[in-house]
Structure formats: structure tokens, C-alpha cells
Amino acid sequence: MKKVLIPFILLLTFSIGTKAQTVEPLTNDQFKEKIWNYDTDKEWKYLGDKPAIIDLYATWCGPCKRLAPILEEIQKEYGSKIQIYKVDTDKEKQLSNLFNVSSIPLMVFIPKKGKPFLVTGLRPKEQLVEIINEKLMGQ
């Protein structure tokens, strides 16, 4: 019994610990629950408890496909200190309109305090880490 239970506990612990270490898809309804309910709050009011990044992308976008693994890597490295979300602009038109998406990839950087800011285009990992460290984690 002990031989079966120990691996199960280790697997369960690993699963719980890494939940926050994955880039999560985000729908419009989830955005209103986790980020900002723009229906009830006309002024920006971040609902999260840690800095976040929202990657607005499309499945057909070449630069978006190259950005995705970079963001996955960053999420794993920062773990539960930040949360990275991804929004498919073809499926989530309301969010695309909310951020006036005209070019992708588009990233929304959300500090715990203060207003979000946008970064357009494919950026190297080093540049994204610099933005995270200076503008998201430095609060």
C-alpha cells in the first residue's frame, strides 16, 4: 500500500504546485471574473492578486506561434509570481475590441497596482523578462 501511495502523493503535490505555472486560456467571461469586470466597473479595477500578462493571438499568426513557447518558458520560470493568459482573438471578439486589437501578437501587461500597458509584436525573451522585472515585479 505504501509503495502505491507515495508516488500518488508526489504526483498530486507536483500537480497542485505547477497549476499556476502554465499559461491559461482566457475567455471573455473569465476575463471579467479574474481581470476586470468592465460591465460593472467603468474605471480599471484589477481583480487579480499577482501581476499578469495577456497574450492576444490568433492560431494562423506566425509571430504568435513563435511567441507562445517563450511565454510558456517565462511562466514556468516565474511560477506563481505572475500569471500569463492567452486569448484567441478570433474566438473572443469582445476582448479584441476592448483592447482595440489591430495587430498581433499583442500583450497586455497588468501590474498589481496601476494601469495595464500594451506591447505589440514578437519580442525576444530577454526583452520580455526586462519588462516583467522592471514594470511588473518592481512594485
Side-chain angles (χ1 to χ4, degrees), residues 76-91:
K76 285 181 182 155
E77 289 172 8
Y78 280 84
S80 61
K81 293 178 186 170
I82 65 171
Q83 182 58 57
I84 301 175
Y85 298 99
K86 59 184 179 179
V87 172
D88 185 335
T89 56
D90 289 331
K91 292 181 180 175

Side-chain angles (χ1 to χ4, degrees), residues 21 72-81 125 129:
Q21 294 182 8
E72 290 280 352
E73 203 173 295
I74 290 171
Q75 179 66 74
K76 285 181 182 155
E77 289 172 8
Y78 280 84
S80 61
K81 293 178 186 170
K125 179 182 175 185
V129 167

